[in-house]
Amino acid sequence: MDFIDLDNVNEDLIHFNTQTTEQTITYLQSLGLLPIHKICPRINCNRFMDLIPSTKTSDGVRFRCSRPCRKESSIRKKTFFENSNLPLKVILRFIYYWAYEECSQKKIKRELGLQNETITDWKIFLREVCILKLIANPVILGGVGRVVQIDESLFIKRKYNVGRIVKEQWVFGGIDCVTKECFAVLVEKRDAATLLPIIQKYILPGTTVVSDLWRAYNCLGNEGYVHLTVNHSINFVDPYTHANTNRVENMWMRAKRRNKKECGTAKNLLASYLSEFMWRQRLNKTPFTEIINDINLFYK
C-alpha cells in the first residue's frame, strides 16, 4: 500500500478519499492510523487475522482469526480511534481542522455536526498526544552562547466584584531566541524556590538568560547562567547590554490570542492548552504531518 505525503494533504484530498466507509478505511491505513494486518491476541494462537466485511460494526469491517480460533477484533482496537463511535472520516477531518487551528466551535458544528462536549473531548485527546510527545522529547533550551528570555504572565485574573471570584493563575515560561522553542508551565508562586527548579529543568547551564528585575531571578548568576536584566520601568531595551524581553512577551501575546480565539480555556484544561502551545512552537513540518506522525508514534 502506498503511503501518503502528509505535507501535501488538504481538505479536498481528505474529502475525495473518504467518500465511502471503505475508502476511508483504506485511506486511514495509508496514513498509518489503522492496521492493515493484525495478529490474533489469543494466547497460543498468534495467527494473522483476516479483515472481513461486517454488518456488526459501523466501520463495515472487522478482523477475524481463522478456524478453529474465530477470535474477532474491531479495526479500531488499540488505535487512536478505539474509544469513539464517531465516523472515522469525521474524526480525520476534525484532526485536520485542529492541526491548522480551524477548530472553532461554530465551524466544527457546521462542518461536522459535533456538539460542544464532543469538540472539547477531541481537543483534549489531541492535546494528550502533544503531552506524550513533550514527555518523550522534553524541551531543553539554550546552551553556551545562546539567549533565552524568561517571564511570568497572568492568564486567569480575579474578577472585580462581579460574579464568582476566580483564583488567579500565573504561568512561567521562556523562549529560545534562536530555535523559537519554548516552555510554559503553571505556577502557584513566583518565588525563587518555585521558579529556579523550572529554569534548571528547561534551560541549560551557560545560557544567557534575560529577564526583568523580578527578585526571584537574582540568584541566576550564581547558578551557572549569564544573567542580563532590563528595567521595564525605565526602558524596554537596556541601553548598555541591549537586553530585552520582546520575544517572550510576543510569545505570551500569541498564547493569549489563541486562548481568546478558543473563547478562553477552563482552568483545569490550561496545562494541556500550554502543552499544545509548546508542541506547536517546535513544529518541524506541517502541523497535520506532525500530529499524524505523533499519533502513529504513541498509538501504533
Side-chain angles (χ1 to χ4, degrees):
M1 178 178 292
D2 293 331
F3 286 83
I4 304 299
D5 179 5
L6 294 171
D7 288 341
N8 291 320
V9 170
N10 57 37
E11 191 172 356
D12 288 341
L13 188 61
I14 290 175
H15 176 72
F16 178 79
N17 285 287
T18 59
Q19 295 183 57
T20 67
T21 302
E22 183 179 0
Q23 284 180 310
T24 301
I25 289 173
T26 301
Y27 191 59
L28 289 172
Q29 287 175 325
S30 68
L31 294 175
L33 297 175
L34 286 177
I36 300 172
H37 306 290
K38 186 173 286 191
I39 295 176
C40 181
R42 185 163 286 168
I43 298 174
N44 299 324
C45 183
N46 294 324
R47 294 185 181 91
F48 276 107
M49 305 178 81
D50 299 316
L51 189 62
I52 64 170
S54 174
T55 58
K56 297 179 180 179
T57 68
S58 59
D59 297 325
V61 294
R62 70 184 187 277
F63 280 102
R64 187 173 67 187
C65 192
S66 59
R67 295 180 184 275
C69 177
R70 309 296 281 180
K71 174 73 175 177
E72 295 186 355
S73 176
S74 167
I75 195 171
R76 302 191 189 203
K77 186 73 173 178
K78 295 186 178 181
T79 74
F80 186 61
F81 312 109
E82 180 173 5
N83 295 316
S84 176
N85 293 318
L86 289 178
L88 291 168
K89 67 178 181 180
V90 170
I91 300 174
L92 181 61
R93 288 182 66 189
F94 184 93
I95 293 171
Y96 179 85
Y97 290 142
W98 177 89
Y100 287 104
E101 300 185 83
E102 300 172 356
C103 208
S104 67
Q105 308 280 78
K106 184 176 181 180
K107 176 168 183 172
I108 298 302
K109 283 183 177 180
R110 181 182 69 246
E111 298 294 334
L112 303 181
L114 302 183
Q115 298 304 307
N116 289 344
E117 184 177 352
T118 304
I119 295 170
T120 299
D121 286 344
W122 275 97
K123 287 181 179 179
I124 291 172
F125 298 154
L126 290 165
R127 286 171 180 169
E128 287 174 349
V129 177
C130 299
I131 293 170
L132 290 172
K133 183 61 175 291
L134 292 170
I135 291 172
N137 299 274
V139 172
I140 303 293
L141 308 183
V144 176
R146 297 270 284 277
V147 178
V148 173
Q149 297 178 3
I150 60 174
D151 191 28
E152 331 92 55
S153 186
L154 187 60
F155 267 63
I156 298 177
K157 300 179 180 180
R158 292 185 184 275
K159 294 183 178 180
Y160 294 98
N161 301 319
V162 179
R164 180 171 58 89
I165 296 176
V166 179
K167 183 180 179 181
E168 291 181 338
Q169 179 61 66
W170 285 88
V171 178
F172 175 55
I175 185 168
D176 189 306
C177 294
V178 173
T179 67
K180 305 303 186 293
E181 283 195 68
C182 72
F183 70 89
V185 295
L186 307 181
V187 291
E188 294 301 319
K189 295 182 180 180
R190 294 182 294 143
D191 57 5
T194 301
L195 301 186
L196 180 58
I198 299 173
I199 292 170
Q200 293 172 326
K201 176 181 178 181
Y202 288 103
I203 305 177
L204 292 170
T207 302
T208 298
V209 178
V210 182
S211 73
D212 58 21
L213 294 178
W214 181 244
R215 61 184 178 273
Y217 304 137
N218 291 342
C219 62
L220 291 181
N222 299 321
E223 298 293 339
Y225 299 101
V226 178
H227 186 208
L228 301 180
T229 61
V230 55
N231 188 344
H232 286 153
S233 65
I234 299 176
N235 44 47
F236 294 106
V237 179
D238 186 276
Y240 302 105
T241 65
H242 304 292
N244 65 82
T245 56
N246 293 345
R247 284 185 173 85
V248 71
E249 289 166 6
N250 181 263
M251 180 186 85
W252 293 136
M253 180 185 69
R254 287 183 285 106
K256 291 179 178 180
R257 183 187 297 150
R258 289 189 70 254
N259 193 42
K260 185 176 181 180
K261 186 178 179 180
E262 296 269 351
C263 300
T265 302
K267 186 175 181 180
N268 65 318
L269 298 179
L270 183 56
S272 68
Y273 166 81
L274 294 172
S275 294
E276 178 191 341
F277 183 77
M278 293 165 63
W279 178 86
R280 289 184 182 277
Q281 279 292 113
R282 70 191 317 193
L283 292 175
N284 294 315
K285 299 181 179 180
T286 69
F288 185 69
T289 300
E290 292 282 5
I291 193 62
I292 295 299
N293 287 341
D294 289 345
I295 290 171
N296 283 329
L297 180 62
F298 298 108
Y299 292 86
K300 202 68 173 176

